[in-house]
Amino acid sequence: MTRASGAAHSGVLREAVAGDVRHFTSVLLGDVNSAIASGILFEGLVTQLRSGEMIPALADSMPELSEDGRRYTFRLRRGLKWSDGRPLTARDVAFTWRLMWDADYAELKSPRRPELERHLEDIRVEDDETIVFCTRTPFGPFVTTHGTYGILPEHVLGDMTGAELNDCDFDRAPTVANGLLRYAGRREGEEVVLERNPLYHGGPSRLERLRLLVHASHDEIADLLLAGEVDVGEIPPWRAEEIEQAPDLDLVEFDVPNFEFCLFQLDPERPQSELFRSVDVRRALNWGTDRDAIVRDVFCGHAEIAHSVQPLTSWAHDPAVEPRYAYDPSRAERTLDAEGWLPGEDGVRRRDGRRFSFTLAYNGGAPLQQRVAEQLRNDWARIGVELLLGPLPFAQLLEQMRYGREFEALLMNFGVGADPEISNLWASRNRVTGAFNGQGFADDEIDRLLDEAAASHDREERRERYVRLQRRMAELCPGVLLVYPRGLFVVNRRVRGTGFGSFNRYSVRPWLKDVEVA
């Protein structure tokens, strides 16, 4: 929409989120609600349109790439300021990245460290407005995957150690910002309030404040939207039809770069992996999963069956990936028989005196995850496998994936992003504590394909590697790919200018500047 002249419009936008904000600093966050708040407060060098196209943010243009494909030169917009009036310079950019990369900050628990240590060779500040990143080899995903990290203030955080930054006041209540809005306060477990930043480089927001209202579930958010008590929120699929009939609400539906999947513990050093060490056992669990029922009965048609670790939104998605695991409980039973897992008197299979029984950890505060878990329990009971449900608060679930890693199986919704680079989830180097490969997956061919795909700026060359990777992952089936869910956001018609889409519904929202509330 066209920006009206004159002073910024006032208005308060009430957005409901399912769960609290855990981190504000971009280097620590790993959950959706933290990403929303942090992304609004702290802009990166570049940002993203809903199509996935990258555009400049704090940088005045997209970076210059050297002929050897290893050096990225960014030039910042002139006159950038923090909300306290201090200049924002290339030193702040270098500082932010060093928190995730430099050995001096190794104690900072950033999930991005393994990838940056692998690929980033050097950071050079040439002047206040120019910074150069040097990668060890050509690295195709660099800008799209890493360029959006929110820049943090060296003048506020520069005297802290990595260990101190893990649990600092700034991460709970940031005193300065560079984004469209700045922090105004919070009530733990209830709301986070962001207010207009008058020093934002693009001019002041039309909004006076954004209230992120914390609620227990997307079901509860749907009720609040229907009652007019919130303006924006994400809803569960079984509420879509009801929302569509509401005269004052608009439902926005789109494909998202996510997949819902159940991953198995595969770290051979952990006893929890014993049940899943055979690829045929893992395949049997795949054949025993009724994904059609999950799409129909859980997602109410607002999802598609997932066959690949690249979502539908990815330019590297292979629609012909093989092998596939259509629902075939008879084949699952025959496979388990061949593996020595034979039916017991209670209907649960046994081998060498052990029952085929394990616990699935999942977000107990999310009814959608509860329903998926129950469907898996029912499906696998039909083939003689007992699934015990282990609901956890989301913070504990994330802790289990990244740190505790004592789970047997874990249900997760994982986002990939606009670039198909997925080393953070599947590369063996990301088995380290704090990174996202919490299941301990490792395969030499997958590592090689990930590195070869990343070490190129040629999209077709990269896609060929990712197609091979998708097929290798389908052969290994380290878990059970379930569905590609769709995004379902609801906006009250008194709100104008929102632009929710595949790649900028959460942390990156370049459209937020022109949102206004009537």
Side-chain angles (χ1 to χ4, degrees):
M1 68 192 301
T2 304
R3 177 73 184 265
S5 59
H9 294 242
S10 64
V12 178
L13 180 67
R14 303 166 300 170
E15 178 171 356
V17 293
D20 208 350
V21 173
R22 301 181 64 235
H23 297 286
F24 284 100
T25 52
S26 55
V27 297
L28 288 172
L29 61 88
D31 64 284
V32 167
N33 296 327
S34 296
I36 292 172
S38 178
I40 294 169
L41 294 175
F42 302 105
E43 266 194 1
L45 293 168
V46 295
T47 189
Q48 207 165 32
L49 300 179
R50 59 186 172 189
S51 64
E53 178 186 352
M54 306 304 295
I55 59 173
L58 295 180
D60 70 356
S61 61
M62 297 303 289
E64 297 175 8
L65 180 63
S66 63
E67 289 187 7
D68 64 2
R70 294 178 51 241
R71 293 188 303 281
Y72 302 79
T73 301
F74 287 91
R75 292 181 175 81
L76 301 182
R77 298 177 188 271
R78 293 192 173 184
L80 292 175
K81 293 185 181 296
W82 292 99
S83 57
D84 62 1
R86 295 282 294 270
L88 189 161
T89 73
R91 286 180 55 86
D92 294 300
V93 179
F95 168 71
T96 302
W97 285 64
R98 286 186 173 118
L99 294 178
M100 303 177 283
W101 168 74
D102 196 295
D104 288 345
Y105 291 100
E107 291 183 303
L108 190 147
K109 298 176 181 178
S110 177
R112 295 156 189 89
R113 176 171 293 276
E115 287 306 300
L116 291 179
E117 286 181 339
R118 172 79 175 187
H119 296 290
L120 186 59
E121 183 175 75
D122 192 24
I123 303 170
R124 297 201 304 265
V125 174
E126 295 195 345
D127 55 48
D128 283 351
E129 295 172 352
T130 309
I131 186 166
V132 179
F133 296 92
C134 301
T135 56
R136 301 183 190 280
T137 63
F139 185 45
F142 183 79
V143 175
T144 303
T145 300
H146 300 290
T148 61
Y149 297 150
I151 303 306
L152 301 174
E154 184 181 30
H155 69 282
V156 176
L157 303 176
D159 291 334
M160 295 186 190
T161 66
E164 291 169 337
L165 287 163
N166 285 325
D167 189 32
C168 65
D169 290 340
F170 188 91
D171 190 45
R172 292 182 289 271
T175 53
V176 301
N178 67 48
L180 181 68
L181 305 177
R182 62 188 180 186
Y183 178 82
R186 74 184 302 174
R187 289 179 293 160
E188 294 281 347
E190 295 184 35
E191 73 171 327
V192 170
V193 181
L194 310 180
E195 65 182 7
R196 184 183 295 143
N197 175 10
L199 297 182
Y200 177 62
H201 66 82
S205 166
R206 292 183 178 221
L207 296 174
E208 179 184 338
R209 290 191 305 279
L210 169 64
R211 296 175 62 200
L212 293 174
L213 301 166
V214 178
H215 293 282
S217 71
H218 292 113
D219 242 332
E220 184 179 332
I221 291 171
D223 291 336
L224 294 168
L225 286 159
L226 288 165
E229 295 181 25
V230 298
D231 305 309
V232 175
E234 189 173 5
I235 63 163
W238 52 86
R239 303 298 296 272
E241 184 175 354
E242 180 184 7
I243 290 289
E244 286 180 309
Q245 297 175 12
D248 55 347
L249 300 176
D250 287 322
L251 176 65
V252 185
E253 180 172 1
F254 46 87
D255 289 327
V256 296
N258 294 55
F259 49 84
E260 190 91 19
F261 73 125
C262 167
L263 54 88
F264 302 130
Q265 180 57 257
L266 299 178
D267 186 343
E269 296 184 4
R270 293 183 177 272
Q272 295 91 341
S273 70
E274 183 179 346
L275 285 173
F276 311 110
R277 290 172 185 169
S278 165
V279 67
D280 284 330
V281 166
R282 303 197 297 269
R283 288 169 180 165
L285 291 168
N286 272 268
W287 284 313
T289 303
D290 190 350
R291 295 171 179 82
D292 283 311
I294 293 175
V295 170
R296 181 186 65 246
D297 300 334
V298 178
F299 286 85
C300 304
H302 298 282
E304 291 194 31
I305 292 175
H307 298 291
S308 163
V309 295
Q310 289 290 341
L312 296 175
T313 53
S314 172
W315 50 259
H317 175 78
D318 177 13
V321 65
E322 296 284 350
R324 297 194 174 201
Y325 299 93
Y327 184 48
D328 192 342
S330 296
R331 187 173 185 180
E333 290 176 323
R334 293 194 303 271
T335 303
L336 291 172
D337 288 344
E339 286 288 301
W341 289 100
L342 303 178
E345 292 182 1
D346 61 355
V348 177
R349 292 175 178 272
R350 285 173 167 78
R351 186 177 71 181
D352 299 329
R354 176 171 183 174
R355 299 170 80 245
F356 201 142
S357 175
F358 63 95
T359 300
L360 177 69
Y362 64 95
N363 181 1
L368 182 65
Q369 295 253 299
Q370 178 73 34
R371 295 186 184 200
V372 172
E374 290 171 353
Q375 178 70 42
L376 292 175
R377 180 184 61 190
N378 296 339
D379 285 348
W380 292 343
R382 296 188 190 101
I383 61 172
V385 173
E386 181 181 59
L387 182 66
L388 305 176
L389 302 188
L392 294 173
F394 180 72
Q396 289 184 28
L397 187 74
L398 200 61
E399 182 78 11
Q400 270 295 307
M401 185 175 189
R402 293 181 55 197
Y403 297 102
R405 300 183 173 181
E406 296 171 351
F407 61 87
E408 293 177 293
L410 188 148
L411 186 63
M412 182 65 68
N413 184 300
F414 200 84
V416 174
D419 192 279
E421 220 288 315
I422 50 174
S423 296
N424 55 349
L425 185 60
W426 302 118
S428 61
R429 60 181 170 272
N430 284 310
R431 291 178 296 174
V432 298
T433 300
F436 285 114
N437 187 354
Q439 70 176 130
F441 173 80
D443 180 72
D444 290 343
E445 184 176 351
I446 291 297
D447 283 346
R448 179 178 58 79
L449 289 169
L450 285 168
D451 288 344
E452 288 178 357
S456 173
H457 293 281
D458 184 291
R459 177 171 287 196
E460 286 307 309
E461 183 179 344
R462 295 185 67 204
R463 185 179 187 280
E464 186 271 337
R465 300 298 195 283
Y466 287 125
V467 166
R468 288 162 55 189
L469 179 143
Q470 289 165 73
R471 295 175 183 179
R472 175 66 174 167
M473 292 297 291
E475 292 171 359
L476 297 174
C477 54
V480 180
L481 281 167
L482 298 170
V483 299
Y484 304 123
R486 295 197 184 98
L488 294 167
F489 279 80
V490 178
V491 182
N492 191 294
R493 288 180 180 169
R494 77 190 192 101
V495 179
R496 296 189 291 270
T498 58
F500 289 107
S502 297
F503 294 104
N504 63 12
R505 67 204 192 280
Y506 294 139
S507 62
V508 180
R509 292 181 172 183
W511 45 264
L512 188 61
K513 183 174 179 294
D514 289 324
V515 170
E516 59 184 353
V517 181

